[in-house]
Amino acid sequence: MRWLGGRESDNVDDRRGSGGGGLLVGGGIGTVVIAVIVMLLGGDPSEILNQSSSNQATSQAPTDPQADDQAAAFTRKTLASTEDVWTKIFADQGSNYAKPTLVMFRNATHSGCGTAQEAMGPFYCPQDQEVYIDLSFYDELRNRFNAPGDFAMAYVIAHEIGHHVQKQLGIMDKIDQLRERQGEVANNKLSVRLELQADFLAGVWANHAQGQSIELDKSDIESALTAANAIGDDRIQKETRGTVVPDAFTHGTSAQRVYWFSKGFKTGDIKQGDTFNSTEDANLQ
């Protein structure tokens, strides 16, 4: 992956030097296990966060060089690329794209969804419409998921930004309304479709960014597909439980995640990402 210019976004709240935001309260071992699974899946952990935490941590940008400054710069560049792409796509549709803030932190910090912790991995909080990431997740992606490469990291960020796009389009709010009237299994299926659409939107970003802010080759795409494949529900459940329980899926199978990211990258057409009414991935296991 090569940057073409590499503008860095200013919409970053760098809390790496703020000392964290406290620990998750009232959890126990069950909460710890769930938090680990959420980390592996890269999803929205709001349901297991401490909902009583509402105060935002004070932003304090580090003043000294740090070991993860290179990762921080990469994150800012990726965020800037998503801003450019989605601003244009929204403008082409006659609307405005509200750029989200990305919060970089260490260990723990406060979010609109409660306490954000390192173990939860990157996530999007719809309550404050911000993306949260502890940059150590990049090491996890490389070492645990065997998904090295810059574009694998960019895919993770683009997926979370995809959730912000869903929020902007009103999709996330509609799904939340449906969840209020359904049981756990049905809600899990909605979560799967929401996550697969975020994968699709990450692919759409890559399509539009190619040749504009980034230059990709075959190995870059393979690294993103490796990351998508590594964090499928089926693979994670097999690793953590020893068995696969489809009714408990919240993010989709590895094959489904690869399929929708690939479709977004190939088409670049946001209109082709209706994962909620599509059955084209039904037989992917």
Side-chain angles (χ1 to χ4, degrees), residues 106-235:
R106 286 201 183 100
N107 301 321
T109 192
H110 291 298
S111 79
C113 295
T115 301
Q117 291 183 296
E118 174 189 1
M120 293 168 181
F123 69 92
Y124 174 72
C125 174
Q127 278 68 31
D128 58 22
Q129 299 187 39
E130 296 185 351
V131 173
Y132 291 80
I133 183 171
D134 185 309
L135 299 180
S136 65
F137 179 77
Y138 293 151
D139 295 327
E140 186 80 5
L141 193 65
R142 182 185 309 108
N143 300 327
R144 180 176 177 79
F145 296 127
N146 194 29
D150 288 349
F151 194 61
M153 298 189 297
Y155 153 75
V156 170
I157 298 171
H159 172 93
E160 300 309 331
I161 295 299
H163 286 310
H164 181 66
V165 172
Q166 291 171 322
K167 180 69 174 179
Q168 294 288 293
L169 295 176
I171 296 171
M172 191 169 286
D173 291 339
K174 291 180 181 178
I175 297 304
D176 286 341
Q177 292 173 4
L178 289 174
R179 283 172 171 163
E180 294 176 357
R181 305 192 297 269
Q182 299 185 147
E184 181 180 356
V185 173
N187 283 342
N188 285 345
K189 291 180 179 179
L190 286 175
S191 294
V192 166
R193 292 294 147 184
L194 199 68
E195 295 298 330
L196 293 177
Q197 189 177 68
D199 284 327
F200 170 83
L201 295 172
V204 170
W205 159 74
N207 174 284
H208 288 262
Q210 170 77 303
Q212 298 298 319
S213 56
I214 59 176
E215 185 176 277
L216 304 173
D217 58 28
K218 183 178 179 180
S219 64
D220 293 319
I221 303 304
E222 289 175 349
S223 72
L225 295 179
T226 297
N229 182 68
I231 54 181
D233 281 324
D234 53 342
R235 183 165 177 174

Side-chain angles (χ1 to χ4, degrees), residues 37 235-249:
I37 294 175
R235 183 165 177 174
I236 297 300
Q237 286 187 358
K238 187 70 174 178
E239 179 179 334
T240 59
R241 298 182 178 186
T243 187
V244 175
V245 184
D247 283 347
F249 286 179

